[in-house]
Each structure stands twice: as structure tokens, then as C-alpha cells.
Amino acid sequence: MRAAPTILHLDMDAFYASVEQASKPSLRGKAVIVGGLGPRGVVATASYEARRFGVHSAMPMAQARRLCPNGAYLIPRFTLYRQVSDVVMALLRELSPLVEPLSLDEAFVDLEAGGTAFDSAGARATGERLRADIRAATGLSGSVGLAGSKMLAKVASEEAKPAGLLLIEPGTERELLAPMSVRTLPGVGPATGEHLRRAGITTVGDLAEAGEDELVRMLGRSHGVGLYRMALGIDDRPVVAERDAKSVSVEDTFDVDLHDRVRIRTEVQRLADRCVQRLRGSGHSGRTIVLKVRRYDFSTLTRSETLRGPTDDPAVVREAAARLLEGVDTTGGVRLLGVGVTGLADYTQEDLFAQSLAAEPQEGTGEAPGPDGPSGAGGAAGAAAGALEGAEGAAGTEPPGERPGAPGEPEAAVERRWTAGSDVRHAVYGPGWVQGSGVGRVTVRFERPGSEPGRVRTFRVDDPELAPSDPLPLVGDEPPAPASPAPSAS
């Protein structure tokens, strides 16, 4: 515990939903729910207007629609969220070299390490200046907590929501914490909270009064000692600038249970490729491949295989995931699949055996077999309704796949799909976003950040003048518009 409140915790307010409201003026002040839009999707973030109806993060999307039928339901746009997050994190790094990001919208900052603040007055001034800088740079609001420890700073930012600042003076911790619910403390989830409630412990003050010995008896030594210290406001954890990733994984929840074994294999290989892309993007390789399968009855199975050395080779990960799948019974149906890599390292050890197998011609064919990839997986488009990153597409449409046919046979037209919330640009009307689509039509609202609410127009889904677009910046000048498409020959 520090003698001055120089640990800052920033938590952006309803981040994903606030970004959507800032980029779509017609949604300001309205209920906005961001998440997977399929029947098995979940809520990632709900705006404060939606929370009044009882909608909250991690809620099934179907339940959210029942509670708030008139809300705006949008897919996440992680590309834009990362861009905004980078701006916010850059502002935090101007305050101190010790910035510990917890997610895209949340981080701890050690103000003493940056020489920014050494007492309460300096910390408060820094926090107010940070909130103003974030508003100017992004148009968004964030809540700031200041305290002598990480736990208390996080509690303070939560109490300050939305768009506020709370400073906890050292020495007042126990008085502040005492009336709060035990669920306020990190590590107290629903199960532990219920266990404590049955023992008559519902507030942090009750925890402190119960004493360390009683909590150890109830919860075990590690958890009991930790909770007792937190109830007293004691937290000596430092702000750590770099936190090593322990694993990289991707998963998809399917709208309809998968039964076809070939389709399941194809989805696993597609997930393996996405996992390797993320693995390489983080600059890592990994040694242990993990397959996750959630079956029709919600039972979840995990299987893993450890390689001889770390790899970031997509073929090696695909082959390992395929081998793991062979040991899983999927006859009843599969609702979720995931592929992950653990045992991360900063180097790779090429799997020469796998490479030699890939280069070796198949017996009797004289051709080398190509790895089964996601190409041609006709049903892959609807697979990611419940997986948030899988729901994102910079284009916002699903490109048509190739269909083999007889020579000279005209290729059947494949209808483009436009997902609610995705960015588009019209050759005549400019930038906009998809409000909805169906029955061969797509409805677009034409507006941009900072503008007045725009007009709504409806087009054919195959309108040649309507094209996917990148998100516009929330603050600042719009990037140059792409050249208008040439008119199609009639």
C-alpha cells in the first residue's frame, strides 16, 4: 500500500457501444447492444440506455432481444475498437512508462513511475486532465479511479461510472469498503459469493469481522488469506508494464448444431488457421495444441497434444487439431468448436517431419496433397454468430465462393450478405452503415461521426454502387474516398 493515491485505473464507459454511438449519430441516446447476432450469440457490451432494460454483458442475445426489443443490435467492429484503444493507450503512456493494459478499454497506470504525481492533488489533476484528453482525442468518456493500490483503484473507477473520477485517500479504505458487497472484491464470483452468503457474510465489512482464521476454514488458505487482506484494503501488487500471454485461441459457436463429420473437420481446420494468424500476430509460437468441443448437451471436452518443439506452422497446427478431433465423439451434434495454442515461446522449431510428409507425393497419384483448408466450406459463413471476433469483417459482407461447374456453364450468382452495423460506401451517397437486410434488399443509413443523424435508403443487395468500407475515424478528417466504381454495362 502506498502513502499517496498514485495508482490510476482507467475504464472506458460501455466501450464498444459508446464507439458505435459516436460513429453512428442516429444511435446517440438510444439502446445499443453489441455482440453476436445469431440465435446463440452473446452480448459483448450494452450501452447505458440498454442497461436500464436489464441488458448486460455475457447475457444471451435472445434474452437481450426479449428485454429490449427496440434496441439497435450490431456486430462488433474490432478493427475500429483497436484503433480507438491505441489512441487511449498512447495517452496513458504519456503519463508513465508503467502501463498495464487489462483489455482494449481498461488499464492501470503507475503515476509515480512517470513522475506525474506524488500526492493526492497531483493525482487528481492528472486524472481530470486524462479524462479531458481522452474526450478530445476520441469523443468518448472514461472513468478514473485513483488509490494507493490496484484493487482500490479499480473499485474507485467502478464507483465513478459513468464518466467520473473517484480518489480514495489512503487511510479511508476500510470505511469505504465496509458497506460494499463481497462481490466487489476480485476473486469473489457467484459460487464463492453464495457460499459466503450462507455463512451470513454479505459485505466486505462482514469479511473483515469474520477474521482470517474463519475465512481460511471456509475457503482454504490461499483464497481465505487473500480475501481477508483485500477486505482490509491491503494489496501490494505492482503495476506491470508487460504481461506475458499464456495462450492464444479462437472459437466459434454455431447457429445450428453440426452433425456432418466432414463439415466439423473443415471448421476445425479453419479455426486452426485463424489461431495461427493470431499467434503470429502476437510474435509467438507454441508447443501444445488444444481442441475444445462443446456438444449438443452442453458438455465440453478438451483434448491437447504437445509437440516436440514450438511452432507457428499452420500445417502443423491443422494436423495436430485433426488428430485430436479423431478422438472425440461428435455423433450427437456440436454447438461450439475451438482451437488454441499454449506453451508459448518467442521462437519456432520447424517440424521437419510434418513438412516432409506434406512434400511427399501420395502413393498412386504422383501429386503432393495440399492441406485441407477452409476454402470451399460452404457453411462457414454462418458459423461465427456467437464468436465475437469471428463476427467481425472489415468488409461487412460475405464474398461469394467458387462453385465448380461444367466447362462453359455460367456461374450462379451468389447473393451478398450485409450484416447489421457494418460499414459501407455508396458511389453517390457516400459513407454509411447497414441497418438491416433481407428479401434481396439492404437498408443503409448515411451518416458519419460528428454529423447530424442521416437519411435511410434501401438498395438491392447486389447494387453495384454499394460497396464495403473501412470505419471512419471518430475524431478528425475522413480518409480520402476510394474511386467510385465504374458503371456496369447494361
Side-chain angles (χ1 to χ4, degrees), residues 27 30 46 105 124 145 203 244 302 308 335 371 422 435 489:
L27 297 183
K30 298 182 179 178
D105 62 335
R124 184 180 296 276
T203 67
D244 292 335
T302 56
R308 293 194 298 273
R335 60 183 291 119
S422 56
Q435 280 202 323

Side-chain angles (χ1 to χ4, degrees), residues 12 29 31 72 95 117 126 177 251 253 263 310 317 342 385 394 433 464 471:
M12 300 297 289
L95 302 178
T126 299
L177 290 173
E251 61 183 40
T253 301
R263 167 76 186 281
V317 177
T342 65
W433 58 279

Side-chain angles (χ1 to χ4, degrees), residues 5-360:
T6 54
I7 292 181
L8 180 149
H9 181 259
L10 171 72
D11 195 354
M12 300 297 289
D13 299 322
F15 183 54
Y16 297 169
S18 294
V19 170
E20 297 299 339
Q21 289 176 320
S23 64
K24 301 174 172 67
S26 59
L27 297 183
R28 292 172 189 158
K30 298 182 179 178
V32 174
I33 299 95
V34 179
L37 300 186
R40 291 176 176 172
V42 296
V43 175
T45 304
S47 68
Y48 286 100
E49 295 84 358
R51 295 180 191 187
R52 297 192 191 108
F53 293 88
V55 180
H56 57 78
S57 299
M59 172 182 285
M61 191 62 78
Q63 182 181 356
R65 289 184 186 274
R66 289 193 296 270
L67 293 173
C68 186
N70 296 321
Y73 290 83
L74 308 173
I75 61 165
R77 296 185 295 164
F78 286 103
T79 300
L80 178 58
Y81 305 155
R82 290 191 190 100
Q83 291 172 359
V84 178
S85 175
D86 288 344
V87 173
V88 173
M89 296 300 166
L91 291 174
L92 296 182
R93 292 188 178 95
E94 291 178 3
L95 302 178
S96 173
L98 289 185
V99 176
E100 182 178 340
L102 303 179
S103 61
L104 291 177
D105 62 335
E106 186 180 1
F108 289 109
V109 184
D110 187 333
L111 299 180
E112 276 189 24
T116 310
F118 298 96
D119 56 18
S120 297
R124 184 180 296 276
T126 299
E128 294 289 5
R129 187 170 64 251
L130 173 64
R131 291 175 57 236
D133 290 345
I134 290 173
R135 174 74 73 176
T138 67
L140 305 177
S141 67
S143 297
V144 171
L146 293 156
S149 70
K150 290 168 68 173
M151 180 201 75
L152 290 170
K154 186 173 175 62
V155 168
S157 68
E158 190 64 31
E159 291 295 305
K161 282 186 170 294
L165 181 148
L166 177 62
L167 184 148
I168 300 178
E169 291 283 359
T172 65
E173 299 91 356
R174 292 191 64 175
E175 181 182 353
L176 176 80
L177 290 173
M180 293 184 178
S181 166
V182 292
R183 293 290 302 276
T184 303
L185 300 180
V188 181
T192 301
E194 177 61 21
H195 187 48
L196 292 171
R197 187 195 65 78
R198 289 198 299 267
I201 299 174
T202 59
T203 67
V204 177
D206 294 337
L207 276 175
E209 290 179 9
E212 182 176 332
D213 292 342
E214 177 64 14
L215 294 178
V216 167
R217 185 189 66 80
M218 293 175 59
L219 305 172
R221 172 153 296 279
S222 177
H223 201 20
V225 171
L227 271 186
Y228 181 68
R229 287 175 59 83
M230 284 191 288
L232 300 179
I234 301 172
D235 178 18
D236 298 323
R237 294 173 300 157
V239 176
V240 180
E242 297 294 336
R243 298 194 304 166
D244 292 335
K246 297 181 180 179
S247 65
V248 173
S249 63
V250 294
E251 61 183 40
D252 278 349
T253 301
F254 304 100
D255 289 346
V256 179
D257 290 349
L258 304 185
H259 296 270
D260 179 27
R261 189 73 177 185
V262 174
R263 167 76 186 281
I264 294 172
R265 269 199 302 269
T266 301
E267 293 297 338
V268 167
Q269 291 168 357
R270 182 179 62 84
L271 289 166
D273 287 339
R274 282 175 51 200
C275 184
V276 170
Q277 287 177 358
R278 189 174 296 181
L279 186 70
R280 288 180 170 180
S282 68
H284 290 96
S285 59
R287 189 179 180 193
T288 300
I289 314 304
V290 180
L291 175 70
K292 177 180 177 181
V293 179
R294 180 165 297 150
R295 299 189 292 191
Y296 69 98
D297 58 357
F298 287 90
S299 61
T300 302
L301 306 175
T302 56
R303 299 289 185 267
S304 64
E305 176 180 319
T306 300
L307 308 174
R308 293 194 298 273
T311 184
D312 64 354
D313 186 336
V316 174
V317 177
R318 279 197 302 266
E319 291 169 8
R323 286 193 296 270
L324 294 171
L325 180 62
E326 292 304 314
V328 177
D329 179 13
T330 61
T331 53
V334 170
R335 60 183 291 119
L336 177 147
L337 290 169
V339 174
V341 178
T342 65
L344 302 187
D346 296 327
Y347 66 95
T348 63
Q349 178 177 316
E350 297 297 336
D351 193 323
L352 301 179
F353 179 70
Q355 289 184 348
S356 66
L357 280 180
E360 190 175 307

Side-chain angles (χ1 to χ4, degrees), residues 416-434:
R416 290 193 294 177
R417 293 182 59 194
W418 304 90
T419 312
S422 56
D423 297 279
V424 296
R425 180 179 290 271
H426 192 273
V428 176
Y429 302 110
W433 58 279
V434 175

